[in-house]
Amino acid sequence: MDKLRITGGRPLEGAVRISGAKNAALPVMAATLLAPGVHRLRNVPRLRDTQTFARVLELLGARVSFEGNLLTIDTLGVNSVEAPYELVKTMRASIYVLGPLLARFGRAKVSLPGGCAWGPRPVNLHLSGLQAMGAALDIEHGYIVGRDVKLRGAHIGFDVVSVGATAQLMMAAVLAQGTTVLENVALEPDVTVLGEVLVACGARIDGLGTRRLTIQGVGTLRPIDTTIIPDRIEAATFAAAAATTRGTIRLEGVVPDHFEVVLRKLEEAGCTLQRGTDSVTVSGPQRPRAVNVVTQPFPGFPTDMQAQTIAVCALADGTSVIEDTIYFDRFTHVPELARMGARIELKANVAVVKGVDRLYGAQVMATDLRASASLVIAALAAEGETLIDRIYHLDRGYETLEKKFSALGARIQRVS
Ligand code: EPU
């Protein structure tokens, strides 16, 4: 199993080009099922998750090819509606095929994702929403099964803001008969952009960028031709690395508004920023200041940056309080950071981080994607060598991470 060996202590300097967003690419890949034809998605990151999703589409009968970051998906030959457990268990986002399959074929058999490293992560809102649209769904042997489904418009209000459920029901509604109203929807750029992509293919969606969407079903959609937006979480992760290493990193090819809340928090922590139209240069302070963070749905502070922010706070002057209101158990990085000398007290979903003036290299284990990124950020700033085990988690969501960090001057190496 691959590991990362990092020798910390060097300020990172230089420019990094940010890749396409994983969480924007996955729902668009699912949306290709809505229209038979050849779809072109540019700037798709080459990640384990996009590859897994490509495999799901292939099993359904699509022809998929990656050339560089151009992903071509031909959905003309889709002839199966089954997404098997073997793939869904490795990537929960596979559930995104459910709505499109029901919308286009009236049938689907999609494995229930099951648990996750940091808690139950239910899909009840996806299922109740589809049921409200007329889909009779059964759970059979671990699979969500729909037969003879004719989706029709419905009025659905979410009691929790959910990225996945919003994207799922938007995809279902664009081909449903009649009008669907979705209330309290997610505003993450990944969701809004999915809506824009669907509109460009002929869908009728009003209210994109607001909490209320009105979707008029249409008979057919044209194939997708789009460029995936830059990954705001990847960008913010590199920004956090500048903060812990006293470095100066220019993030290129970004939409600063998409992670403005993280940038503001880094400024509060003492970073100096220069914002351009599609770039941001982040310079880290001598030592970060403590900051308090509460994760919230967009435009609030993203849960996907909670772990990396704890790594910054671990080195800060003062005590930081970090609360995750989206995922209560997403703290597997905490005991690993403690092995590197961090002083963090965890009380339910709140981490109290007492900053130390240095971290030390240690052997640590990556436990999920963002937790791994947090360990990388800590290791880049730590004294001595850190060996991070199980880095396949990083390969799910960061494109050529160690190459990008090496180019910024980090001593980072993948070892078997
Ligand atoms: N929730 C429910 N019921 C549902 C769906 C969600 O109660 O049916 C709850 C969740 O338990 C959570 C909250 O709603 O408390 C928000 O979850 P959401 O549905 O928004 O999460 P998701 O769609 O499963 C996406 C990203 C995650 C990211 C979250 C929150 C993708 C593929 N995944 O997940 O990304 O953390 O939104 O922003 O887009 C990552 O990239 O590392 C990652 C985990």
Side-chain angles (χ1 to χ4, degrees):
M1 214 180 281
D2 284 359
K3 299 180 177 53
L4 273 186
R5 182 188 290 140
I6 299 175
T7 308
R10 265 199 194 168
L12 301 183
E13 303 282 346
V16 59
R17 179 142 289 274
I18 298 306
S19 299
K22 165 179 84 78
N23 291 348
L26 297 173
V28 175
M29 289 175 75
T32 64
L33 292 168
L34 291 166
V38 180
H39 304 256
R40 283 193 184 78
L41 284 54
R42 295 178 189 77
N43 201 32
V44 177
R46 301 288 294 252
L47 301 168
R48 185 185 283 237
D49 274 10
T50 50
Q51 255 132 18
T52 304
F53 211 102
R55 186 77 199 114
V56 172
L57 294 174
E58 277 174 345
L59 283 182
L60 298 173
R63 285 176 39 198
V64 183
S65 72
F66 248 127
E67 286 162 65
N69 294 104
L70 167 67
L71 180 63
T72 306
I73 304 172
D74 181 350
T75 53
L76 211 54
V78 170
N79 55 4
S80 160
V81 293
E82 180 169 339
Y85 177 62
E86 286 64 37
L87 288 176
V88 180
K89 75 173 181 200
T90 66
M91 191 187 59
R92 306 174 51 80
S94 318
I95 195 161
Y96 275 145
V97 300
L98 180 61
L101 287 173
L102 292 174
R104 178 163 153 209
F105 299 102
R107 295 181 295 126
K109 182 175 178 197
V110 176
S111 173
L112 263 175
C116 148
W118 73 77
R121 297 188 73 190
V123 290
N124 58 310
L125 298 174
H126 300 236
L127 302 186
S128 60
L130 290 167
Q131 281 160 339
M133 295 177 71
L137 298 174
D138 296 308
I139 306 298
E140 295 174 5
H141 307 287
Y143 280 77
I144 307 156
V145 182
R147 306 179 178 88
D148 296 324
V149 170
K150 257 201 171 343
L151 293 176
R152 50 179 155 67
H155 195 127
I156 297 159
F158 297 110
D159 35 335
V160 180
V161 175
S162 161
V163 170
T166 305
Q168 180 83 274
L169 294 181
M170 202 195 288
M171 290 190 282
V174 289
L175 289 184
Q177 208 166 46
T179 304
T180 300
V181 177
L182 303 178
E183 307 254 24
N184 199 24
V185 300
L187 297 179
E188 271 68 1
D190 312 325
V191 175
T192 305
V193 156
L194 170 69
E196 287 165 0
V197 166
L198 292 170
V199 166
C201 298
R204 293 178 59 195
I205 307 175
D206 279 333
L208 282 171
T210 74
R211 292 268 176 222
R212 184 177 203 264
L213 299 178
T214 306
I215 304 170
Q216 216 89 54
V218 295
T220 54
L221 292 174
R222 295 182 291 278
I224 296 169
D225 190 335
T226 195
T227 301
I228 300 300
I229 54 170
D231 194 318
R232 66 198 161 102
I233 304 300
E234 187 200 5
T237 299
F238 278 95
T244 56
T245 65
R246 303 183 186 122
T248 294
I249 302 182
R250 182 178 153 88
L251 311 166
E252 292 185 341
V254 296
V255 180
D257 277 357
H258 287 176
F259 58 116
E260 180 57 30
V261 65
V262 181
L263 292 174
R264 279 208 302 268
K265 201 46 85 175
L266 288 173
E267 277 180 319
E268 199 184 318
C271 291
T272 311
L273 302 189
Q274 267 182 288
R275 293 172 174 82
T277 43
D278 63 352
S279 69
V280 182
T281 304
V282 184
S283 299
Q286 268 312 100
R287 186 175 178 195
R289 285 194 290 268
V291 289
N292 297 333
V293 167
V294 180
T295 68
Q296 299 282 359
F298 191 87
F301 195 95
T303 170
D304 289 345
M305 276 304 294
Q306 177 259 102
Q308 301 90 316
T309 307
I310 288 189
V312 176
C313 294
L315 281 163
D317 187 5
T319 299
S320 308
V321 179
I322 315 286
E323 177 178 359
D324 198 326
T325 69
I326 310 287
Y327 296 117
F328 286 13
D329 299 326
R330 194 181 198 180
F331 288 100
T332 51
H333 40 289
V334 166
E336 300 301 312
L337 289 171
R339 305 198 70 247
M340 301 176 71
R343 288 176 58 206
I344 307 170
E345 227 180 283
L346 197 55
K347 291 182 197 146
N349 62 328
V350 179
V352 178
V353 188
K354 296 195 172 110
V356 293
D357 61 8
R358 67 193 62 188
L359 294 172
Y360 298 94
Q363 288 189 31
V364 291
M365 198 157 69
T367 41
D368 79 68
L369 173 56
R370 307 304 170 187
S372 315
S374 145
L375 297 177
V376 170
I377 289 169
L380 289 168
E383 246 177 45
E385 187 179 287
T386 297
L387 202 57
I388 307 180
D389 202 353
R390 301 202 180 170
I391 55 154
Y392 55 84
H393 292 291
L394 276 173
D395 297 333
R396 295 189 57 177
Y398 289 93
E399 197 174 41
T400 61
L401 179 99
E402 70 269 25
K403 279 199 191 126
K404 288 184 175 183
F405 273 122
S406 289
L408 296 170
R411 286 168 291 185
I412 179 168
Q413 206 186 357
R414 189 180 282 252
V415 291
S416 308

